[in-house]
Structure formats: C-alpha cells, structure tokens
Amino acid sequence: MMEPINIVVTGAAGQIAYSLLYQLASGSIFGPEQPINLRLLDIPPMMKVLDGVVMELEDLALPLIREILPTTEPAQAFNNVAAAFLVGSMPRKEGMERKDLLAANVEIFKVQGEALDKYARKDVKVLVVGNPANTNALICSHYAPSIPKENFTAMTRLDQNRAQAALAAKLGVQVDKVKNVIIWGNHSSTQYPDASHATVDIGSCCKSAPSAVNDDKWLNTTFVETIQKRGAAVIAARKMSSAMSAAKAAGDHMRDWWVGTKKGEWVSMGVVSNGSYGIPADIVFSFPVTIENKQYKIVQGLPISDFARSKLNITAKELEEERSEANKVLQK
C-alpha cells in the first residue's frame, strides 16, 4: 500500500472546494491507489459549515481518505503537505478598486506563504485558484523563499477548458478532439485565448484549428471576447461565480502536474516567467507547458503573430501593474 500524502484545501467550506473535495476523495487527481489525508482550512465563521462538509466526506465512504482535519490554524493545515489548493481569497466586491483587492489578498497569501515555508514539504505543489490568482501566487511565493518559485502556479485551466469547449461547439466535435489551445497571461479579462496552434481531429484527419474554423475574424474577436468574459457571464446567469467548472479545472491542473502531459500535447498554467516569449521575468504569466516527472517546461519556439503579440503585451502590462500594487503593500 502507498503511504498517504497530505493535501491542503483553503476556503474549504466554500463552493469551489465543495466540488473539488469529491475529486480528491475519489482518486481522480492523485490516482486510484494514492491514499490522502485532507487538511481543510477556513476562517472561524465558516467552521460550522465546514463541520457539515466533513460529515459529507465521511458519508462518501471512500477508502482513499485516511484522515480529515478541519482547522483554522495554518500551522496544522500546511504541515508536511505534498500539494496545496489555495482556493480561499478575498473576492472583489462592488466598488472595490484593484489595489484594495490586492491589499486584502496580500494579507491572506502572506500568512499562507509563511506557513508553506515553515511547515510544508519543500517539493510541495502549490496551485492558487483564488483571484487575482496570478498575483496571489506571486505573493505566496515571495513569503515562502525556501520553496522553489516553480512550485507556485496559478490556475488558467478553467479558461483553457472554456476555450476548448467553445472551439468544439463551433466545429461540432467532441471536446476531447480539440487539443493545444493556449491561454496566455492573466486569469482576467486581458487574457489571450489562442487557437492558432490548436489542432482538431475531424473524422480521421487532424487539422489545425484555424483551417478547420476557417474564420479568422471569429477567432480574433468573438472567440477571444467570449472566453475573456465567460466568468462574468456565468455570474450574470447564476448570480454566483463558477464553482463546478473551476473545481474541475483545479483537478485537471493538479492531475497533469502530478501525472504528466501526453506526448505532443500541452496545457496552460500560470507560472513564474523566465522571460520566454519576451514576457517580463518574475510575473506569474500563463504559458503553454509540457509536464514530465512532476516538472513543467514552457513550450518554446511557437510563432507569435503581430496580433498575438499585441494581446500578450496588454496582459503582461496588467500583471506588471498588479505586481507593482502588491509590492507597495508588501513594503508597508
């Protein structure tokens, strides 16, 4: 039998965690043979709700769950964890400026970064889901200097899944027939969903997505804008933010990081920039990556059109501005 690994989920009483926890318990993320100890972190006012979540986890009667620890204490939550899903964050409220949102989140991710630094395994895989995810991941990494920067990632897999589904719907194919869509940049409305390197299996043929769609105007306008605004559209319809799809994307992200990507395929992850594609270093920027032996590598050498470059510049500028705002708070 494999030894259990410790997994922490923050914001554990919230909507996204509610969908994510079943994936963890069922073995669909770390594998059907990997037992887990769940560390569920939330704030004191949410502990009564979290008690109910724990009851449900127990009532699943799934054999991979060995221990469940609900807690408000970061020292307990992050102790010897192999993977961290940082779901909890301060949501943007009506009338709140970005700098106010960043200031509130600096406090949250400072505490969690320090706890990771002090208590987690040094090879811990950290996925930041809570928004603004890219800059929250950067802040968290800043406060965990003993953990490699490449161990901190932000989730843009939801955007990738949305883009893949939109292309599949446009072409009338199953969603798994669309591969290698890229999300560049920030998990925000400035992101650039890029279908120019994607492929589509149609019948027995593998075509490039642009040739299959055969409508550059749609790809450069409707497609891009639909994915950029999809989160807002869900909120407008549901009166709540994406939860089920966000949890699925978090599971997809971590599973690929843990197990690896298929040959010839890549996925989008927000990672600390090393200057690839002319993106400023030391911002957390979504790139296409391949993963092997739990290590990701940014896909290199993809041609970037003038149109794509203009989009990359916009989203990189926003991330530099977010970093600047966060640094002002950090220096106080």
Side-chain angles (χ1 to χ4, degrees):
M1 287 295 292
M2 297 170 78
E3 283 294 308
I5 54 173
N6 295 341
I7 310 296
V8 62
V9 178
T10 74
Q15 280 202 94
I16 294 174
Y18 191 75
S19 288
L20 175 62
L21 289 168
Y22 177 78
Q23 292 182 69
L24 287 165
S26 68
S28 69
I29 298 174
F30 296 103
E33 306 296 323
Q34 179 61 67
I36 60 171
N37 299 321
L38 283 173
R39 307 284 184 250
L40 308 179
L41 180 68
D42 218 313
I43 56 176
M46 297 303 294
M47 294 312 285
K48 188 75 176 171
V49 175
L50 193 54
D51 286 344
V53 173
V54 171
M55 288 183 217
E56 287 210 68
L57 284 166
E58 292 168 346
D59 295 348
L60 290 173
L62 287 167
L64 290 178
I65 302 180
R66 297 302 162 83
E67 293 177 14
I68 306 169
L69 175 67
T71 182
T72 60
E73 297 297 328
Q76 290 183 328
F78 290 95
N79 187 39
N80 198 34
V81 291
F85 293 84
L86 305 188
V87 180
S89 66
M90 170 68 75
R92 191 166 190 164
K93 294 173 182 167
E94 196 171 345
M96 184 183 272
E97 292 186 26
R98 187 168 63 184
K99 65 182 180 184
D100 300 323
L101 181 67
L102 284 164
N105 279 294
V106 164
E107 290 306 312
I108 294 168
F109 286 88
K110 174 177 187 268
V111 169
Q112 294 180 4
E114 288 172 342
L116 282 160
D117 194 57
K118 195 168 182 181
Y119 302 109
R121 285 169 38 166
K122 296 309 172 192
D123 64 349
V124 62
K125 305 268 179 280
V126 182
L127 167 58
V128 177
V129 177
N131 288 319
N134 297 56
T135 299
N136 285 344
L138 191 72
I139 293 163
C140 201
S141 167
H142 175 85
Y143 284 104
S146 69
I147 297 170
K149 286 190 184 303
E150 58 266 24
N151 290 32
F152 291 84
T153 63
M155 189 175 84
T156 53
R157 185 59 172 269
L158 176 54
D159 308 299
Q160 179 194 311
N161 288 350
R162 288 166 169 166
Q164 192 177 335
L167 284 170
K170 176 76 170 172
L171 293 167
V173 298
Q174 284 178 206
V175 74
D176 61 342
K177 303 299 183 188
V178 179
K179 298 181 176 69
N180 293 353
V181 185
I182 300 169
I183 303 298
W184 299 97
N186 200 2
H187 175 61
S188 76
S189 59
T190 68
Q191 65 176 258
Y192 174 45
D194 180 7
S196 63
H197 308 288
T199 62
V200 187
D201 292 331
I202 299 179
S204 58
C205 297
C206 180
K207 293 185 171 184
S208 77
S211 67
V213 173
N214 195 28
D215 186 345
D216 287 348
K217 186 181 179 190
W218 182 85
L219 283 172
N220 290 338
T221 55
T222 304
F223 170 70
V224 170
E225 290 162 12
T226 298
I227 306 311
Q228 288 176 335
K229 297 173 182 174
R230 185 67 164 187
V234 171
I235 291 171
R238 209 172 87 88
K239 310 306 177 200
M240 290 184 282
S241 61
S242 308
M244 180 168 49
S245 56
K248 161 67 164 50
D252 291 345
H253 177 121
M254 188 63 79
R255 183 184 60 252
D256 285 341
W257 199 359
W258 203 260
V259 176
T261 49
K262 294 176 184 173
K263 191 171 177 61
E265 295 184 25
W266 57 68
V267 293
S268 298
M269 289 170 61
V271 303
V272 177
S273 171
N274 60 5
S276 292
Y277 295 98
I279 299 304
D282 299 322
I283 55 175
V284 172
F285 191 93
S286 183
F287 291 97
V289 302
T290 56
I291 307 165
E292 192 175 0
N293 299 323
K294 297 187 171 66
Q295 303 294 317
Y296 62 78
K297 288 183 181 172
I298 296 172
V299 175
Q300 298 294 335
L302 296 174
I304 303 294
S305 68
D306 290 344
F307 176 80
R309 174 57 60 194
S310 70
K311 296 294 187 184
L312 265 62
N313 288 345
I314 289 167
T315 195
K317 183 172 183 285
E318 181 180 59
L319 282 165
E320 286 188 292
E321 289 169 356
E322 286 188 13
R323 179 180 63 184
S324 176
E325 291 287 354
N327 282 339
K328 285 177 190 171
V329 179
L330 294 175
Q331 288 159 10
K332 284 181 181 176

